[in-house]
Amino acid sequence: MIELFQQTSGLIGSPEAIKALSQKDHARLLTISDSHGDYRLFARIIKEFGPNCDALIFGGDGARDLSEILEEANEREDFRKCLPSVLAFVRGNNDPHTFPLSYDIGKYNLEARTLLKGSVIMPYSQLLNVNGQNLYITHGHLQNIEYTYEPIAGIARENNCKTVIYGHTHIPEDLDGKECRLINPGSISRPRGGMPATFAILTVEKTFIDAAFLKIENHYFSAKASFSIMKGF
């Protein structure tokens, strides 16, 4: 069960869980972005898919939703059990630098010592090591991802990452270049480009990463939402 404290690295989870994720031979990553206020659907996805995943990655633009996820997990053990043991998240262009919680989530985070008790820090980027592979996570707006892929790919190469997870465009993408793979899970609440609302589950093996995209039917009504594998886009 996840330890609901933010480490100095920016990750939420215990040091032991973070280290274990870096050494797992097989890991599943629940990858969500751009919830834009749809907390109920965010929570529904976690309840359904979180128990079978090793980490949750959030690509930004939904800090308020993330705060409610953390509050509910802190208050309800049954929901906390649904959260994967490691949570990586980044700040989107609509997110604040920090957001408050009712408990001291930052007591192990050296960066939070000068902030109000209970502050969560939203980093612009995050490195996550899974199965010996480095993943670079960022929202993408600072790299103008809607116009070009080169800046974000260049930053990934500088950080020895062959995989980038980003958001911002609200369009699911899986682009496999020569040096870097770019994955956008899409948006769970405000899809664009004629695409449905989506998220992704990544399976990380020693030599490859598999990305399965799931589309959400009836995403405007979280209680009625249904999920299915998205084939081709």
Side-chain angles (χ1 to χ4, degrees):
M1 189 161 54
I2 188 171
E3 186 174 287
L4 295 170
F5 295 106
Q6 185 175 27
Q7 305 298 327
T8 302
S9 64
L11 300 173
I12 290 178
S14 68
E16 294 78 15
I18 295 169
K19 181 178 180 180
L21 182 64
S22 72
Q23 299 173 342
K24 287 184 71 72
D25 291 332
H26 172 92
R28 287 164 56 87
L29 314 178
L30 178 58
T31 308
I32 298 170
S33 191
D34 294 275
S35 54
H36 285 281
D38 200 336
Y39 160 74
R40 289 182 175 84
L41 182 55
F42 198 161
R44 167 84 190 280
I45 294 169
I46 289 173
K47 289 175 184 177
E48 187 149 345
F49 297 94
N52 294 317
C53 291
D54 302 288
L56 169 63
I57 297 174
F58 182 62
D61 273 0
R64 176 67 180 273
D65 307 320
L66 185 62
S67 72
E68 294 192 43
I69 292 292
L70 292 169
E71 289 283 18
E72 185 168 357
N74 186 53
E75 295 169 2
R76 292 178 47 199
E77 185 175 342
D78 60 334
F79 183 70
R80 185 175 175 179
K81 288 180 178 179
C82 294
L83 271 175
S85 59
V86 177
L87 170 53
F89 55 95
V90 292
R91 177 183 178 184
N93 54 298
N94 291 296
D95 293 328
H97 172 56
T98 65
F99 62 81
L101 291 182
S102 62
Y103 71 99
D104 192 8
I105 191 171
K107 69 178 183 179
Y108 299 134
N109 182 1
L110 297 177
E111 302 296 329
R113 298 288 172 84
T114 60
L115 302 174
L116 293 175
K117 186 177 181 180
S119 294
V120 176
I121 297 175
M122 297 285 289
Y124 273 126
S125 63
Q126 180 70 67
L127 294 176
L128 182 66
N129 189 278
V130 184
N131 200 352
Q133 300 189 53
N134 288 323
L135 281 65
Y136 181 74
I137 308 164
T138 192
H139 188 60
H141 62 296
L142 296 178
Q143 298 83 19
N144 296 314
I145 194 64
E146 61 267 58
Y147 304 111
T148 176
Y149 298 110
E150 185 51 38
I152 203 170
I155 295 171
R157 289 193 296 268
E158 291 172 2
N159 286 277
N160 193 31
C161 298
K162 293 185 178 180
T163 302
V164 175
I165 298 168
Y166 67 100
H168 190 52
T169 66
H170 297 207
I171 298 173
E173 291 185 299
D174 186 358
L175 306 173
D176 198 357
K178 292 182 179 180
E179 297 182 0
C180 185
R181 185 174 180 183
L182 305 173
I183 298 173
N184 186 333
S187 170
I188 66 170
S189 67
R190 298 182 184 178
R192 295 175 183 160
M195 293 293 182
T198 56
F199 62 98
I201 295 178
L202 309 185
T203 302
V204 183
E205 302 285 355
K206 281 292 184 184
T207 57
F208 70 92
I209 296 178
D210 176 70
F213 290 80
L214 289 91
K215 62 180 178 179
I216 309 168
E217 304 289 350
N218 297 316
H219 69 276
Y220 291 114
F221 306 97
S222 59
K224 297 181 180 180
S226 61
F227 313 101
S228 61
I229 294 292
M230 185 176 178
K231 298 179 180 179
F233 55 88

